[in-house]
Amino acid sequence: MMIFCTLFDSNYLDKGIVMYRSLISVRCDFKMYVLTMDKKCKEVLDAYQSSNLVTISVDDFAEEMGLNEIRKNRSRGEFCWTCTSYLIDYVLTRFNESICTYVDSDLRFYSNPQCLIDEMGERTVQIVEHRYNPTVLGKLGKVSSGTYCVEFNTFKNTPDALQLLHWWEERCFESCTISADKKGVWGDQGYLEEWGDKKNVSVLSHLGGGMAPWNVVQYRLISEENGIIAEEKKSGKQFPVVFYHYHNIKYYDAHKVCISVHEPWLEDRKLIDALYLSYLREIDDIKNELKDKFGIYPLLHSHPGMGNKILHKKRNVKELIKAVDSLIIPKLYVKCMGTKKQQKYEHLNIIRF
């Protein structure tokens, strides 16, 4: 049996439920622990009475893990990032599980992820690279957000894995900001930067684990007959998509969204449609289910608008200047040109469903 943990609040119930049900749809034998970040989220999940889903109250969790003061003094996002490592520890030690994989709530699984965990072999920790696009913009993404993504991270209940996990907890306790003033942090994931060199750490090689808006343009669709089969453009290597990370979907209205693919002018539209159209419809169905059963409708996380988006990009450039010590001028130049190109092709990121 695979053991997963995740965290989300009532505004992410739609995404969390789709993620959970997708594991059922791929015939995965699993148990999932959910840190419910508000009371409404716990009430709804408990009402479903799912035998393989265990809810954890954020109030009890924060008290038991000594996070009450941090909870008061950090933003909601920073507190969620802080909780990730602690949640894995909580599942391994309080529930005495032999292994635990943290998964983001905005993933959807298209095939059984057991193959990803099997790849660890005798190693006791597994991490996933962002696999940014092999472009200048991709390299800048790596500079700002780090090599590895906290999205599907596995720890076994062994002394060496727990030692690394506790080190991660200590760093997250110190800071989980995304401010450029804190180099090597970037929420909870900057701390993983040197982990790939450790003997007990497995860096996932399966291309089907970790597909996301920042790397999807490297692939094309081959088949949808038995799950989604994709191909890496540069190598011709074909693989089943295990999970996709639906990061940063922004709604214009209930049926028009921006999918935030990093370089949409390079995308394979057939693959984008195969990944996004069914997912967005599933999200819509769950929103309506939650409204009918519980009288709640998770927020449509709105698109900021082009004006705000330009300001957001300018702020990121300023942060990049603080964070990078060398080659500032050429990187800044390409970053600005990339922003203009992204604005020009913004319509390619818009999906109606």
Side-chain angles (χ1 to χ4, degrees), residues 5 12 34 99 112 187 206 208-209 220 279 322:
C5 69
Y12 272 74
V34 180
I99 189 170
N112 194 315
H206 195 307
R220 62 171 62 90
Y279 178 76
K322 296 178 183 178

Side-chain angles (χ1 to χ4, degrees), residues 17-60:
I17 291 173
V18 167
M19 184 269 290
Y20 167 78
R21 290 181 180 176
S22 71
L23 283 167
I24 296 174
S25 71
V26 298
R27 299 179 181 179
C28 178
D29 181 20
F30 74 99
K31 180 189 293 184
M32 178 168 289
Y33 294 89
V34 180
L35 177 59
T36 54
M37 303 305 288
D38 58 35
K39 292 180 180 179
K40 190 64 179 178
C41 181
K42 190 174 192 308
E43 290 172 4
V44 169
L45 293 180
D46 286 345
Y48 279 105
Q49 298 182 330
S50 302
S51 60
N52 64 340
L53 192 150
V54 179
T55 59
I56 302 167
S57 163
V58 68
D59 294 334
D60 296 341

Side-chain angles (χ1 to χ4, degrees), residues 126-141:
Q126 187 180 69
I127 55 178
V128 182
E129 291 182 282
H130 279 104
R131 302 193 192 108
Y132 282 108
N133 300 330
T135 61
V136 175
L137 290 179
K139 291 175 182 177
L140 286 168

